[in-house]
Amino acid sequence: MVQIQQEREPDKRLPAYLQLRDRLAARIAAGEWRADDVLPSENVLTRESGLSVGTVRRAIQQLVDEGLLERRQGSGTFLRKPAFDATLFRFFALQPKDGKPVIPVSRVIARTRAKAPSQAAQILGTEDCIRIDRLRVVSDEILLSEEIWLPNHLFDGFDSVDASSIGPLLYPYYQERYGVFVARAEDEVSFATASPAQAQRLNRLPGDPLARIERTAFSLTGDAIEWRVAYGDAARFRYRSNIT
Amino acid sequence: MVQIQQEREPDKRLPAYLQLRDRLAARIAAGEWRADDVLPSENVLTRESGLSVGTVRRAIQQLVDEGLLERRQGSGTFLRKPAFDATLFRFFALQPKDGKPVIPVSRVIARTRAKAPSQAAQILGTEDCIRIDRLRVVSDEILLSEEIWLPNHLFDGFDSVDASSIGPLLYPYYQERYGVFVARAEDEVSFATASPAQAQRLNRLPGDPLARIERTAFSLTGDAIEWRVAYGDAARFRYRSNIT
DNA sequence: GAGTGGTCTAGACCACTTC
DNA sequence: AAGTGGTCTAGACCACTCG
């Protein structure tokens, strides 16, 4: 039932530091370490790999830059918990200004195996998908209505696992149960008006302005592994980003 | 009239590679090289600085990561043109899907020396500012209405320079005329409805839905040097970003 | 004090661009 | 062929954390 996402064989033509990065990424995806675990030290990796410290450091730094690892001088290199499932919500106005982001409760409405809409199918590379409909709720107030599409071949059986075992954040769950590690995502924000169905779900009126957040999530190998679209009250919406 | 932004003296307690990065950043801000110019090679910088190649490379890599420089194997290290003044517009729906972003024409409405609103004053660290009001127009269609605040002490005389000499992009102009190099920016997207004045400017109706983009731009030294807020038709608005 | 990561050296060799 | 950046080595010493 559960299947592990295959990491591609490290390409021998790639520089050594990238090959090591890929091997480490594969071990992370395979669940060898849990969030906040210490990875082997530079010394150990140097011996294991037969490379010099500098090269090992470069492979590790690569994964730090990708946001997967965190280094602490004097203590070690740690696996970071993937936290950006929560980032959608940091951007809503009701979040406390400076405190930790509140993670909304999930209320799953439906999970079905279904044919993905063409946009999702094109991005995910298959029509055979699992669809999840859920609401995100903070203190009894409905914040967001989400529709999530997953390729069935990676998440076989997701439509029938016990809902209570899933929890409010999906990305850690993807990793634990399916070995699919979400490394980065692309968001597109736009504005829309509520359809009657959306209005009912969000406890608003048809025609009310909504913020629309469309997201594609990518694995460590760069493959799209989830497509979702979320709607919420435009008036309370706030989205921050950095440009370089 | 024109004054160059002072780069802070490199802190001797900082690692050598960061001190070199700061010195290079200061030379870039001072206008020593223009966009697409070649910077001195690793070899030259190694001799000049008395550091080893590895350390010099690290300083350069830092500036590459910050988006300022670009390295091309076999030819050299080049100064990139700051291009993200145009990024606001890449996100509007009327942009060609895959082509190069269209840079809208600027129509400056007013430039005045004025007291900044409290938010801008707090971010910029002064109330004594220059305010610029302008429209951004693509093929005779009004896309955005912008209000830009600059600290007067950095941009002395900006309210009275010849408007025709400025051009559609401000950031290159800041660098050329005032030695202020915009290194990064923070955007915040939210939703609003048009006031009568905004509606008139944007050729829309009062109460119409608008996208609001608020931006703070930072110099190489990390100081906020511009605050702006822009409004445009919500229906055509589209904003993309990457999460890691 | 032992172990960790952070900085730095002084080279080597390779791949690529340019003339 | 000369010059550039890209990769890699095999160390050194330092700053920090933790038991």
Side-chain angles (χ1 to χ4, degrees):
Chain A
M1 198 72 78
V2 173
Q3 70 181 62
I4 302 294
Q5 187 192 18
Q6 285 302 315
E7 187 85 13
R8 281 183 271 279
E9 194 59 31
D11 187 335
K12 294 306 182 217
R13 297 165 307 179
L14 248 42
Y17 77 94
L18 284 180
Q19 291 182 39
L20 177 54
R21 176 260 171 222
D22 286 347
R23 284 199 300 276
L24 288 172
R27 292 171 70 180
I28 291 167
E32 187 164 336
W33 305 286
R34 309 185 138 264
D36 292 326
D37 275 3
V38 187
L39 269 69
S41 73
E42 292 181 350
N43 247 312
V44 173
L45 289 173
T46 301
R47 280 198 302 275
E48 276 182 19
S49 64
L51 297 167
S52 76
V53 245
T55 308
V56 168
R57 285 186 66 80
R58 200 165 169 187
I60 295 173
Q61 192 54 47
Q62 185 78 21
L63 291 164
V64 171
D65 292 342
E66 292 172 36
L68 286 165
L69 301 180
E70 184 185 336
R71 313 199 80 184
R72 280 178 234 145
Q73 184 173 172
S75 25
T77 302
F78 299 82
L79 181 57
R80 282 184 39 168
K81 34 176 159 287
F84 64 66
D85 197 32
T87 54
L88 261 185
F89 304 99
R90 207 180 308 150
F91 304 128
F92 273 83
L94 65 90
Q95 292 290 335
K97 321 279 174 203
D98 293 319
K100 293 193 174 149
V102 174
I103 295 177
V105 175
S106 286
R107 198 178 294 164
V108 175
I109 298 174
R111 279 179 299 161
T112 55
R113 186 144 165 209
K115 184 169 166 250
S118 64
Q119 187 184 4
Q122 199 195 326
I123 289 171
L124 297 172
T126 175
E127 281 189 336
D128 181 16
C129 285
I130 292 160
R131 170 185 173 152
I132 303 157
D133 279 280
R134 64 173 185 175
L135 297 177
R136 309 298 297 264
V137 178
V138 171
S139 51
D140 281 334
E141 214 172 354
I142 297 170
L143 242 192
L144 271 193
S145 161
E146 279 185 312
E147 181 184 314
I148 301 171
W149 292 88
L150 303 171
N152 188 61
H153 66 94
L154 289 177
F155 295 93
D156 189 29
F158 195 90
D159 53 330
S160 53
V161 294
D162 181 19
S164 64
S165 71
I166 297 182
L169 297 182
L170 287 179
Y171 296 166
Y173 190 82
Y174 294 167
Q175 208 248 307
E176 280 165 33
R177 284 290 199 282
Y178 296 94
V180 175
F181 197 103
V182 174
R184 64 176 200 92
E186 288 176 4
D187 281 2
E188 181 176 304
V189 173
S190 58
F191 294 101
T193 51
S195 70
Q198 288 171 333
Q200 201 196 345
R201 274 211 199 166
L202 290 166
N203 211 4
R204 308 204 59 74
L205 298 175
D208 275 359
L210 298 181
R212 179 181 194 274
I213 309 107
E214 185 182 308
R215 169 181 293 187
T216 306
F218 298 87
S219 72
L220 283 168
T221 51
D223 302 307
I225 50 97
E226 180 207 64
W227 185 86
R228 56 168 83 179
V229 55
Y231 293 90
D233 179 10
R236 320 170 71 184
F237 178 71
R238 209 128 296 185
Y239 190 96
R240 290 198 191 87
S241 87
N242 288 311
I243 311 180
T244 320
Chain B
M1 197 72 80
V2 172
Q3 69 180 65
I4 301 295
Q5 186 191 19
Q6 285 303 314
E7 187 85 12
R8 281 184 271 280
E9 193 58 29
D11 188 335
K12 294 303 181 220
R13 297 164 306 180
L14 247 41
Y17 77 94
L18 284 180
Q19 291 181 39
L20 177 54
R21 176 261 171 222
D22 286 348
R23 283 198 301 275
L24 288 172
R27 292 172 69 179
I28 291 168
E32 186 163 336
W33 305 285
R34 311 187 136 264
D36 291 326
D37 275 1
V38 187
L39 268 69
S41 72
E42 292 181 349
N43 247 313
V44 172
L45 288 173
T46 300
R47 279 199 303 275
E48 276 182 17
S49 64
L51 297 167
S52 77
V53 245
T55 307
V56 168
R57 285 186 66 81
R58 200 166 169 187
I60 295 173
Q61 192 54 48
Q62 186 78 22
L63 290 164
V64 171
D65 292 343
E66 292 171 37
L68 286 166
L69 301 180
E70 185 185 335
R71 312 198 80 184
R72 282 178 232 145
Q73 183 174 168
S75 28
T77 302
F78 299 82
L79 181 58
R80 281 184 38 166
K81 35 178 157 285
F84 65 65
D85 197 32
T87 54
L88 262 184
F89 305 98
R90 207 179 309 150
F91 305 127
F92 272 82
L94 65 90
Q95 293 290 334
K97 322 280 175 204
D98 293 320
K100 295 193 172 152
V102 174
I103 295 177
V105 174
S106 286
R107 198 178 295 164
V108 175
I109 298 175
R111 280 179 298 157
T112 54
R113 187 145 167 208
K115 184 167 165 252
S118 65
Q119 187 185 4
Q122 199 194 326
I123 290 171
L124 297 173
T126 176
E127 281 189 336
D128 182 15
C129 285
I130 291 160
R131 170 185 173 153
I132 303 158
D133 279 279
R134 64 174 185 174
L135 297 178
R136 309 298 297 262
V137 178
V138 171
S139 52
D140 280 334
E141 216 173 354
I142 297 170
L143 242 191
L144 270 193
S145 161
E146 278 185 313
E147 180 183 315
I148 301 170
W149 292 87
L150 304 171
N152 188 60
H153 66 94
L154 289 177
F155 294 93
D156 188 29
F158 195 91
D159 53 330
S160 54
V161 293
D162 181 18
S164 65
S165 71
I166 296 183
L169 297 181
L170 287 179
Y171 295 168
Y173 190 82
Y174 294 168
Q175 207 249 306
E176 280 166 34
R177 283 291 199 281
Y178 295 95
V180 174
F181 197 103
V182 175
R184 65 175 200 91
E186 289 176 4
D187 281 1
E188 180 175 305
V189 174
S190 59
F191 178 82
T193 52
S195 69
Q198 288 171 332
Q200 201 197 345
R201 274 209 199 167
L202 289 166
N203 210 4
R204 308 203 60 73
L205 298 175
D208 274 1
L210 299 181
R212 178 180 195 275
I213 310 106
E214 184 183 309
R215 170 181 292 187
T216 306
F218 298 88
S219 71
L220 283 168
T221 51
D223 302 307
I225 50 98
E226 180 207 63
W227 185 85
R228 57 168 85 180
V229 56
Y231 293 90
D233 180 10
R236 321 169 70 184
F237 180 72
R238 212 125 296 181
Y239 190 96
R240 290 198 192 86
S241 86
N242 288 310
I243 311 180
T244 320

